Amino acid sequence: RAEPKETRRCHFAGGEMEAGVYALEDLGMGCEVPGPAIICEKVGTTVVEPGWDARVLPGGIEMIMREGDAGGGPAGAPTSQPANLPADAVDPILLEIFNNTFMSVAEQMGLALRNTAYSVNIKERLDFSCAIFDQHGGLVANAPHMPVHLGSMGESVRIVISRNGDDVRPGDSFMLNDPYNGGTHLPDITVVTPVFAEEGEGEGEIIFYVASRGHHADVGGITPASMPANSTRIEEEGVLINNFRVVSAGQFDERGLRDLLTKCEFPCRSPETNEADLRAQIAANALGIRELRKMVSHFGLRRTQAYMKHVQDNAEECVRRAISKLSSGEYRYEMDDGAVVAVRTSIDVERRRATLDFEGTSPQAGTNFNAPKPVCRAAAMYVFRTLVDDEIPMNEGCMKAIELRIPQGTLLSPSYPAAVVAGNVETSQVVTDCIYGALGVMAASQGTMNNVTFGNQDHQYYETICGGAGAGPGFDGCDAVHTHMTNSRMTDPEVLEQRYPVRLNRFEIRLGSGGRGR
């Protein structure tokens, strides 16, 4: 072991202590330096944390955690949290680490889904979402995918939890699209997979959930692409799926899935494509499980679960700070068919809470513009998350300070068997514009996802064409961009012509389509 040239008082995670200062050029090959220490060289500085040793090698400096030292972390990395700080205490550095790590897991799930999916809808348009949830089904973190999915997926996870109880085993995955049980509209199929604890603390218990939702190009119904303009009941829009165990103890139920998709009034036209995309969703969930287990291995189960709550609590506090700057208001939006969405926002600055009351919204419609409650909740979560400047994941904490009052039997809280396919893609945008308008923070956007569908028994195509976003105090609106509840891409012309028997004549921005403005 080398002797330091001098010592300096330094601040580490465990507090202030003496650290030896060394010059790399004075250290021989194989020389060991005990931490805490600072090793200086011409092009950099290496800090050796307490509980660690450094060894000089031909290729650089090797860090070695001392055996049995309580201050070091697993997987060859020091922990930034003091050894004497309880696992459930909040460390601001670790909070940022967990914020970004949770989001990174969801992003990796999304990449896996995109790379392994078959359909243009998921692989090219990116009409999918991935997220991780706590053991109660509360949203913890997501990748920046589709807001209309992310704010409503928690309801789907909680339905799986309540419907299955203790009848869940490692290797199980469940799928559902029921708009009356956590879904949005039938093309959006969610795959939910529980994460079980492995050896050690909590072994055999469900500790998290992962989920992926993808828009399937066709799930049956009276028209190809499952987006009929004239549906009046849910069965006309496709196959209704509620808590189907698509994977049981690691075994994919191919026959059961095929029966589910084809033996109904209006069956799926391309069940092979559905199956391929569902396998991709299951693979994405498997990757999420693997990455979460790495986190547990590194930080420990107790700390990982504690920071799931801290991440949600931090989001809640950020939203409360945003609410304290808002004022009450109301907004009324009349749609093309005469139906009305109305909202009154009541801001309690002292308690830093907001109430959104949708009293005055039109009754449930005989058309398909009905939007299930999870869609309305997703719009509210999205709006308030966008009002937060901090880099936080959109999660359950964003809604803890917000109360939604949605009268039953209205356009925003329909009852079975109401048709809902347009509620997810049209009414959701209207609800978002209403909330922004009532808060006085942003003008209305295009108010639609601009859906285009065509197809036959062999080919089914679905697209959302972008539009524009409204302006607000101190900023202009945006042109030719997907807005609010939709965050997908448009299909590239080359991909469209390669995958479908069509020729695209024009692909351009239509100038002046939004009017002159004022």
Side-chain angles (χ1 to χ4, degrees), residues 185-364:
H185 63 175
L186 299 187
D188 287 340
I189 300 180
T190 305
V191 176
V192 180
T193 307
V195 184
F196 284 82
E198 295 184 299
E199 295 181 6
E201 188 179 0
E203 183 176 352
E205 296 180 359
I206 296 176
I207 51 176
F208 318 116
Y209 287 87
V210 292
S212 56
R213 176 175 289 178
H215 184 114
H216 288 241
D218 188 275
V219 290
I222 57 177
T223 61
S226 306
M227 296 287 292
N230 57 344
S231 55
T232 57
R233 57 187 177 92
I234 192 71
E235 288 79 9
E236 294 177 337
E237 297 177 349
V239 179
L240 189 65
I241 305 168
N242 197 344
N243 190 42
F244 175 72
R245 197 184 305 251
V246 65
V247 181
S248 181
Q251 297 298 312
F252 185 79
D253 188 1
E254 185 173 353
R255 177 174 295 180
L257 176 64
R258 185 60 63 95
D259 289 345
L260 176 70
L261 298 178
T262 59
K263 295 184 177 180
C264 55
E265 184 179 1
F266 300 105
C268 294
R269 294 169 179 82
S270 183
E272 298 84 4
T273 300
N274 298 116
E275 181 182 326
D277 283 347
L278 286 168
R279 287 182 182 272
Q281 290 179 247
I282 294 166
N285 287 6
L287 185 144
I289 292 173
R290 186 186 71 196
E291 294 302 313
L292 285 172
R293 283 178 174 158
K294 284 183 182 179
M295 292 185 68
V296 171
S297 174
H298 185 95
F299 295 104
L301 176 59
R302 181 183 172 191
R303 179 163 291 161
T304 303
Q305 288 185 321
Y307 273 88
M308 279 191 163
K309 184 177 185 304
H310 297 330
V311 165
Q312 293 171 332
D313 292 343
N314 180 57
E316 176 188 358
E317 177 58 28
C318 290
V319 170
R320 287 186 184 276
R321 287 200 299 266
I323 288 174
S324 65
K325 303 174 185 178
L326 300 173
S327 56
S328 302
E330 57 184 71
Y331 201 86
R332 180 182 171 89
Y333 192 124
E334 184 173 345
M335 301 167 70
D336 292 343
D337 62 356
V340 171
V341 174
V343 64
R344 179 180 293 105
T345 59
S346 301
I347 305 298
D348 187 332
V349 176
E350 185 175 336
R351 296 173 60 208
R352 300 191 303 168
R353 290 188 58 84
T355 300
L356 308 184
D357 190 343
F358 291 89
E359 185 70 41
T361 297
S362 294
Q364 174 177 318

